[in-house]
Amino acid sequence: MSETQTIIRLAARGDGVTEDGRFVPGATIGDRVSFDGDRVTIEPGSRHVTPPCPHFSDCGGCQMQHVTEEDYSAFVVDRIARVLGPLMPAGDDILPVALSPPRSRRRASLRATRRGGALALGFNAEGSHRTVDIHQCEILLPSLFALFAPLRDLLGKMVPSGQGAGLTLTDSDTGIDMLIANVEAERLEDIQRLTRFAGEAGLARLSVEGSGGVETIYEAETPELTMGGVRVALPPAPFLQPTREGEAALVAAVREAVGNAESVADLFCGLGTFALPLSRTARVTAADAAGPAVQMLTAAARAAGRPLTTSHRDLFRRPLTHDELKLFDAVVFDPPRAGAEAQARLLAHSDVTRIIAVSCNPSTFGRDARLLAEGGWRIRRLWPVAQFRWSSHVELVAQFERS
């Protein structure tokens, strides 16, 4: 006997949640869902929109194309609020969600797999290692998606049947940087094929990654980005904010939260997304364990004459100590998904007057925020950011002050 329920909210991974707490992928608020044994039928409500991409529901790149923009923005805030609980600020202290537009993703990691004579190129299916062969994409920059057809031709000749290759594409200010992993580039024929492809595709750089590490096969121009008015050379497959719009929103929030601080620490600094803009008005010390990124940042800051010093340092093993933290008016930390537990414990009882957290994982941010709260800090303002449009991936900037 079937029963029908209404979707009342969206869960952390974007599934619709019924009145009795059941999770339904592909459903959104207001949909009616019928359950008949193992069979689930969704009757779309007035807030269910038509997904713009034919690969939606199969491709794992997006989970929420069926959700209105208003409900998606509300989901972003709710996702953070459910983690923070009473630590969540209210009212005007939560800024509007900075939502990146469609077809704006400048960085992507793809898979190419070959079964028999067919090569699939795209993202993995949701919860699977199967590669979905993408022929339309509503999130990637058109300049990146334009490479799919020539890449199928290239990799169809280079990927053996039953095997796969990984690709990282980055759209820089000087052209597209591409890294291909698990593709042979030892024979002259293979090197010539890759070089010819890179030239015809107009790439800035093409590198391959194998057992011996990363080797650049072709470089017409050094891939670069401008951060805070400074040009920074990029290592192959760099970590960057995924959209230019998202990066601008994060930088604006961090600069506003830092205010007139004269001495700033930027922890987990990467290539200098925040360090370089902040160095326009403050002395900045930037630290990260990513050696190539720190090296590029050091060279760029030196060439621009910025008051910025760098430190190649594993902040998980060696967070800044109480004595080191005394040197700074403000501390910005932007850790990977694992968060910054060790550093947050020390910051909680430091003499720093301003703490600004940037996070790509609300769950670990919630843990770090509770550690700061135990030391007498509260979230003064919060900026939600949604760069991975139509996905459940949520980012934020939080300004902490003493309670």
Side-chain angles (χ1 to χ4, degrees):
M1 188 174 190
S2 66
E3 59 174 316
T4 302
Q5 293 278 329
T6 301
I7 299 296
I8 59 171
R9 67 178 182 88
L10 298 172
R13 294 185 61 82
D15 297 339
V17 182
T18 63
E19 298 158 295
D20 61 357
R22 281 179 277 188
F23 290 63
V24 184
T28 189
I29 298 169
D31 289 354
R32 299 280 289 168
V33 183
S34 297
F35 299 92
D36 188 357
D38 293 334
R39 183 180 177 185
V40 179
T41 303
I42 299 173
E43 179 184 340
S46 61
R47 293 158 73 172
H48 192 120
V49 298
T50 301
C53 180
H55 301 292
F56 179 69
S57 78
D58 187 25
C59 173
C62 299
Q63 296 85 43
M64 304 175 72
Q65 287 191 4
H66 62 297
V67 176
T68 66
E69 189 165 302
E70 292 76 16
D71 283 343
Y72 182 62
S73 293
F75 160 81
V76 172
V77 177
D78 183 66
R79 173 84 174 86
I80 301 168
R82 287 181 177 273
V83 169
L84 289 180
L87 299 181
M88 186 75 172
D92 293 341
D93 291 332
I94 303 174
L95 281 295
V97 175
L99 176 60
S100 291
R103 301 188 180 189
S104 62
R105 187 84 62 81
R106 65 177 176 185
R107 172 175 62 83
S109 296
L110 309 168
R111 287 288 298 167
T113 55
R114 187 176 174 193
R115 298 288 181 267
L119 183 111
L121 174 64
F123 299 103
N124 284 348
E126 184 73 18
S128 169
H129 294 296
R130 176 176 60 87
T131 303
V132 179
D133 195 32
I134 300 297
H135 293 275
Q136 179 179 329
C137 187
E138 296 299 316
I139 58 173
L140 290 178
L141 281 171
S143 59
L144 297 184
F145 186 70
L147 293 170
F148 274 48
L151 274 170
R152 283 192 178 91
D153 182 60
L154 171 74
L155 297 174
K157 299 180 177 70
M158 301 190 73
V159 176
S161 181
Q163 296 190 28
L167 297 99
T168 303
L169 309 180
T170 304
D171 185 75
S172 78
D173 292 345
T174 52
I176 295 173
D177 183 30
M178 180 182 296
L179 174 68
I180 306 179
N182 200 34
V183 164
E184 290 292 332
E186 301 293 333
R187 299 179 302 168
L188 178 61
E189 177 186 359
D190 294 329
I191 295 173
Q192 290 176 332
R193 180 181 286 123
L194 289 165
T195 300
R196 184 166 56 252
F197 164 81
E200 292 174 352
L203 301 183
R205 179 173 64 195
L206 173 62
S207 306
V208 295
E209 183 177 15
S211 58
V214 175
E215 179 183 1
T216 295
I217 299 296
Y218 172 93
E219 185 167 346
E221 291 209 47
T222 300
E224 294 180 337
L225 282 179
T226 299
M227 299 179 180
V230 177
R231 298 183 71 83
V232 184
L234 306 182
F239 173 80
L240 300 171
Q241 298 299 333
T243 70
R244 289 176 171 84
E245 295 84 355
E247 179 181 286
L250 291 171
V251 170
V254 168
R255 291 188 67 180
E256 183 178 346
V258 167
N260 60 359
E262 296 180 354
S263 180
V264 182
D266 179 14
L267 309 182
F268 307 96
C269 64
L271 286 161
T273 301
F274 305 116
L276 288 168
L278 292 173
S279 70
R280 282 174 156 161
T281 57
R283 299 185 308 278
V284 178
T285 297
D288 202 304
V294 171
Q295 182 179 2
M296 298 297 187
L297 172 57
T298 303
R302 183 181 297 123
R306 291 293 178 88
L308 190 156
T309 58
T310 58
S311 173
H312 182 205
R313 179 167 177 165
D314 185 342
L315 293 163
F316 292 109
R317 296 175 182 271
R318 293 178 53 233
L320 266 64
T321 65
H322 289 290
D323 286 341
E324 290 173 308
L325 290 170
K326 289 178 181 178
L327 302 174
F328 305 107
D329 304 322
V331 172
V332 178
F333 66 98
D334 179 20
R337 293 187 63 79
E341 182 176 5
Q343 189 64 76
R345 289 185 185 279
L346 290 167
L347 280 168
H349 303 284
S350 70
D351 296 326
V352 174
T353 56
R354 301 178 201 180
I355 297 175
I356 299 91
V358 185
S359 175
C360 61
N361 185 345
S363 297
T364 56
F365 168 73
R367 177 203 63 205
D368 296 344
R370 284 188 288 275
L371 290 172
L372 292 173
E374 290 170 5
W377 296 84
R378 74 177 185 96
I379 299 175
R380 171 65 182 83
R381 282 181 298 178
L382 188 142
W383 293 260
V385 177
Q387 296 191 75
F388 293 86
R389 190 184 181 96
W390 295 312
S391 85
S392 57
H393 190 97
V394 173
E395 296 172 283
L396 61 90
V397 175
Q399 176 188 358
F400 288 84
E401 65 178 17
R402 290 286 185 187
S403 297

